[in-house]
Amino acid sequence: MNGNLELYRVFLTVAGSESFSAAARELFVSQSAVSQSVRQLEDALGARLFVRRARGVSLTEEGRQLLGYAEPALNLLQAGEERVQRMRQLLGGDLKIGAGDTISRYFLLPRLKRFHELYPAIHLHVTNRTSAETLELLRSGGVELALVNAPAEGEDLEMWECLTLHDVFVAGGVFRELKGRSLTRKELAEYPLVMLERLSSTRRQVDQCFLQSGVELSPEIELGAHDLLLDFARSGLGIASVIREFAQEPLSSGELFEVKLSEPLPERAVMLCRRRDMQPGPAAEKLMELLREGMPCEKE
């Protein structure tokens, strides 16, 4: 594009006021500066844009043609600038987050509620996938932030541990004889078990821990949601593999109790991830601050 944006802004101001002097007052510059800018644009385009009249100026045919393109173009740029400023001030914009169903409900939801109270103009988009699928979305640019189960690896990612989880087994009154007892992993495997589907990272990690003890788990019931595990345990259909931090309500009320293991499963973590090569937007930065409140030390 010939010239620069400032020359076109001067051109539009003169065209709108039909006067060099009026344009100078509007732009807070001298009339000679306005005349010089118009002359520079005319020289660059090789066309005359204005003709002088007794009072003021009027557009030539070339000037009218240019006006038809320059005005909407600069209006669009101005709208873009305003949009960016609104985004910087968190008065608009979008934020895309990826997380699993359980993490979304028990960890992300209350924090998004607080974020929405602070920044109601930000449009939130939450995509629920498995941890592996969520990381794929993050790498492809489908989401800006991801919350996944550890381990999450990759030099292309920056990660922080935001929540520690404990995999435990819970049961209802049908299995009351197990209260106060401590079972080995092999003993537990002989009871009817209710677990997540094998595709979930949580299920894979629990299976792996038992296999390290030489025990292969064969649950009688496999489900796709953590809440269903709790419901099935309440109904006495089996001993459910759940996350302690996400089962506090039925454990506190006494509906369910934790079946103790002589060798408890190792704790694991939920990781907040972003791409190293992508600078987070203002909304993502604010949400990261909220999610990282009270987190352990950074992990990179």
Side-chain angles (χ1 to χ4, degrees):
M1 181 174 61
N2 291 320
N4 58 53
L5 290 178
E6 191 56 36
L7 297 183
Y8 284 95
R9 288 194 176 97
V10 172
F11 164 73
L12 289 178
T13 306
V14 174
S17 62
E18 297 184 333
S19 166
F20 278 31
S21 58
R25 290 192 296 271
E26 185 175 339
L27 295 170
F28 300 100
V29 296
S30 66
Q31 183 173 337
S32 62
V34 170
S35 299
Q36 185 177 359
S37 294
V38 170
R39 190 178 308 110
Q40 287 179 9
L41 184 59
E42 289 177 329
D43 290 344
L45 296 175
R48 191 172 183 184
L49 302 174
F50 294 99
V51 292
R52 293 187 177 275
R53 299 181 308 181
R55 293 184 178 180
V57 295
S58 61
L59 287 165
T60 64
E61 180 58 29
E62 291 92 340
R64 282 192 291 272
Q65 290 294 324
L66 181 61
L67 180 66
Y69 290 94
E71 190 169 29
L74 290 195
N75 287 340
L76 188 61
L77 282 174
Q78 182 177 355
E81 291 174 352
E82 292 173 356
R83 173 76 171 178
V84 169
Q85 290 305 312
R86 288 179 63 82
M87 290 177 66
R88 296 303 306 174
Q89 299 169 24
L90 297 175
L91 298 175
D94 299 280
L95 176 55
K96 296 180 180 180
I97 312 150
D101 293 340
T102 305
I103 294 174
S104 292
R105 176 171 184 178
Y106 291 99
F107 177 73
L108 184 58
L109 177 59
R111 289 156 180 82
L112 285 185
K113 181 176 182 295
R114 176 60 178 155
F115 181 87
H116 182 66
E117 290 170 350
L118 293 171
Y119 312 108
I122 301 297
H123 297 286
L124 298 169
H125 305 269
V126 181
T127 302
N128 296 132
R129 296 288 189 275
T130 65
S131 290
E133 292 170 334
T134 299
L135 287 177
E136 288 181 8
L137 273 176
L138 179 64
R139 288 187 166 104
S140 66
V143 295
E144 197 169 355
L145 299 175
L147 286 163
V148 300
N149 289 309
E153 300 176 351
E155 294 184 357
D156 58 328
L157 301 179
E158 192 170 9
M159 294 172 277
W160 298 267
E161 182 179 325
C162 57
L163 180 64
T164 300
L165 301 179
H166 297 85
D167 294 298
V168 297
F169 289 83
V170 299
V174 172
F175 299 94
R176 63 178 61 88
E177 76 277 2
L178 297 179
K179 276 189 176 182
R181 290 180 54 188
S182 182
L183 302 181
T184 66
R185 294 181 179 181
K186 183 176 181 181
E187 288 172 334
L188 179 66
E190 295 174 357
Y191 284 87
L193 300 179
V194 183
M195 302 185 70
L196 289 174
E197 298 168 338
R198 293 183 184 275
L199 288 177
S200 75
S201 59
T202 296
R203 168 66 187 280
R204 291 197 302 270
Q205 291 185 58
V206 172
D207 281 349
Q208 184 62 34
C209 287
F210 273 78
L211 285 173
Q212 289 171 357
S213 299
V215 179
E216 183 174 357
L217 295 177
S218 299
E220 292 194 4
I221 301 174
E222 295 182 332
L223 301 168
H226 188 269
D227 284 351
L228 287 176
L229 296 173
L230 298 172
D231 291 338
F232 274 59
R234 288 188 185 99
S235 300
L237 293 173
I239 298 174
S241 172
V242 302
I243 297 169
R244 181 190 291 152
E245 287 72 17
F246 302 154
Q248 288 302 304
E249 184 177 339
L251 288 173
S252 299
S253 68
E255 287 183 280
L256 299 175
F257 65 92
E258 186 175 329
V259 178
K260 299 295 183 181
L261 287 173
S262 58
E263 187 183 357
L265 299 178
E267 65 181 31
R268 55 190 179 86
V270 172
M271 309 298 292
L272 170 62
C273 307
R274 73 172 188 184
R275 282 173 47 176
R276 288 185 183 275
D277 63 346
M278 285 186 62
Q279 179 67 28
E285 287 182 342
K286 288 297 182 182
L287 181 59
M288 286 177 64
E289 290 177 10
L290 189 61
L291 293 175
R292 292 173 61 185
E293 287 179 2
M295 285 185 183
C297 296
E298 291 186 8
K299 291 188 176 182
E300 297 190 10

